[in-house]
């Protein structure tokens, strides 16, 4: 007969082993190689240049057929050249194609992305397969590369996702110093090829799959929302560094880890979690070189980073919850409570 105390220890041990194996299963890299998705980024920018080198009317018809709504959205909204239903917009495009700025941008884009973008195709293929693993019914967009006129890195539309290659030319691009008012260096330093795939997945998550609710007024709601987006990126981009996902330097990421308890204590002491005045809370969730309340050596977006840690803790403590279940849970307070988030500084 097994002593009761021994049986209790045995059951407890089995329970702990079960949790350990479940946690390992969540963190284990899923094999998605058999999911039939292959991403090919279409070089819209190359076809668009055909309007310069070929008969315009013929090339425009070709592009309208190939790219559909994206050609219309690009011409009318991004370029603001006029309606594609009226060939008068050709008169806007002709001087653009003859100008030095267009040819300079084309030169630099083609020097960095000369052809099929094989690296990004492979990365996005793996990422899209992972999305399909968790969301089998999700219809994934076609991906187009274009020149944004230095307006936007990415764009989302009806069945497509656009990548503005002129804002992924590398931190030292000759164009970015002239754009410092729109894109300060702390932002443009992330305009690198390695950021393409993370920004595509973040854009699909934020703008298509899980748009932020208008009811997310409190800092806590915004923190947890962004934390869920970053956790989604953890699962879809398992090989991408955390610093790249959130847009930190390695030093900023270390600062957050070193001072995570101090950050949390400050948010609590200042009664910020339930603050709804955006002027007061934006400094904790918006792009910036640092967080003013913590000095110039601090990281920015400390609310977003903290929300990420809360969501991680929540999922670690609830291994039965799936990624889709997490993403539809909009109860930020419950996620915080059930995470039992109690950080300690690492220094």
């Amino acid at each position: 007969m097994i002593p009761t105390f021994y049986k209790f220890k045995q059951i407890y041990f089995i329970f702990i082993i079960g949790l350990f194996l479940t946690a390992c299963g969540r963190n284990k890299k899923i094999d998605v190689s058999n999911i039939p998705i292959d991403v090919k980024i279409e070089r819209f920018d190359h076809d668009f240049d055909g309007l310069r080198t070929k008969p315009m009317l013929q090339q425009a018809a070709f592009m309208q057929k190939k790219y559909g709504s994206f050609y219309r959205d690009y011409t009318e909204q991004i370029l603001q050249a006029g309606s594609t239903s009226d060939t008068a917009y050709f008169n806007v495009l002709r001087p653009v194609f003859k100008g030095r700025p267009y040819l300079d941008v084309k030169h630099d884009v083609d020097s960095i992305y000369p052809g099929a973008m094989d690296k990004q195709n492979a990365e996005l293929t793996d990422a899209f397969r992972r999305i399909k693993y968790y969301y089998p019914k999700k219809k994934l967009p076609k991906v187009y590369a274009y020149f944004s006129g230095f307006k936007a890195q990415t764009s989302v539309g009806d069945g497509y996702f656009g990548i503005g290659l002129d804002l992924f030319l590398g931190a030292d691009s000759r164009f970015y110093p002239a754009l410092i008012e729109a894109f300060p260096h702390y932002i443009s330093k992330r305009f690198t090829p390695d950021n393409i795939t993370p920004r595509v997945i973040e854009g699909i998550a934020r703008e298509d799959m899980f748009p932020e609710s208008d009811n997310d007024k409190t800092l806590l709601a915004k923190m947890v929302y962004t934390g869920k987006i970053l956790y989604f990126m953890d699962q879809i981009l398992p090989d991408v560094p955390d610093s790249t996902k959130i847009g930190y330097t390695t030093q900023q990421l270390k600062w957050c880890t070193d001072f995570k308890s101090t950050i949390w204590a400050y948010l609590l002491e200042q009664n910020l979690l339930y603050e709804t005045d955006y002027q007061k809370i934006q400094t904790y969730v918006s792009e910036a070189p640092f967080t003013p309340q913590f000095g110039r050596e601090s990281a920015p977006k400390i609310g977003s980073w903290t929300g990420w840690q809360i969501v991680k803790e929540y999922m670690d403590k609830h291994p039965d919850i799936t990624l889709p279940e997490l993403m539809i849970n909009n109860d930020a307070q419950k996620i915080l409570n059930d995470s039992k988030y109690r950080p300690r500084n690492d220094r």
Side-chain angles (χ1 to χ4, degrees), residues 77-91:
Q77 298 177 25
I78 296 175
L79 292 186
Q80 297 181 345
S83 173
T84 54
S85 62
D86 181 352
T87 57
Y89 76 93
F90 290 173
N91 296 326

Side-chain angles (χ1 to χ4, degrees), residues 128-275:
F128 278 27
R129 287 175 178 177
R130 292 179 190 282
I131 293 176
K132 204 71 171 178
Y133 173 86
Y134 291 105
Y135 295 89
K137 295 182 179 180
K138 172 64 181 172
K139 185 177 180 180
L140 292 163
K142 294 182 178 180
V143 185
Y144 303 138
Y146 66 100
F147 299 165
S148 76
F150 302 105
K151 292 180 180 178
Q153 279 193 311
T154 58
S155 60
V156 182
D158 183 14
Y160 70 76
F161 194 97
I163 303 169
L165 294 182
D166 46 348
L167 289 176
F168 289 102
L169 292 175
D172 297 326
S173 168
R174 58 173 167 160
F175 299 112
Y176 300 154
L179 304 171
I180 197 164
E181 288 191 14
F183 303 111
H185 180 65
Y186 65 83
I187 293 178
S188 66
K189 68 184 179 184
R190 305 197 298 266
F191 289 178
T192 63
D194 286 344
N195 268 279
I196 287 180
T197 298
R199 301 292 71 84
V200 170
I201 299 306
E202 181 180 17
I204 289 173
R206 285 185 181 273
E207 305 299 330
D208 177 25
M209 297 181 71
F210 319 108
E212 186 174 13
S213 170
D214 291 337
N215 295 324
D216 289 352
K217 304 291 187 183
T218 67
L219 177 59
L220 176 62
K222 293 183 179 299
M223 288 167 56
V224 171
Y225 169 77
T226 302
K228 291 195 302 179
I229 296 295
L230 288 163
Y231 187 85
F232 177 84
M233 294 174 71
D234 286 338
Q235 310 314 305
I236 305 304
L237 302 169
D239 297 323
V240 172
D242 285 354
S243 55
T244 303
K245 285 177 218 159
I246 194 170
Y248 279 174
T249 64
T250 53
Q251 293 84 358
Q252 288 171 336
L253 190 65
K254 183 178 186 303
W255 184 91
C256 281
T257 303
D258 288 345
F259 293 103
K260 57 190 173 186
S261 178
T262 303
I263 294 168
W264 185 238
Y266 179 86
L267 295 176
L268 295 179
E269 290 165 3
Q270 299 297 314
N271 296 316
L272 288 167
L273 291 186
Y274 307 104
E275 179 61 64

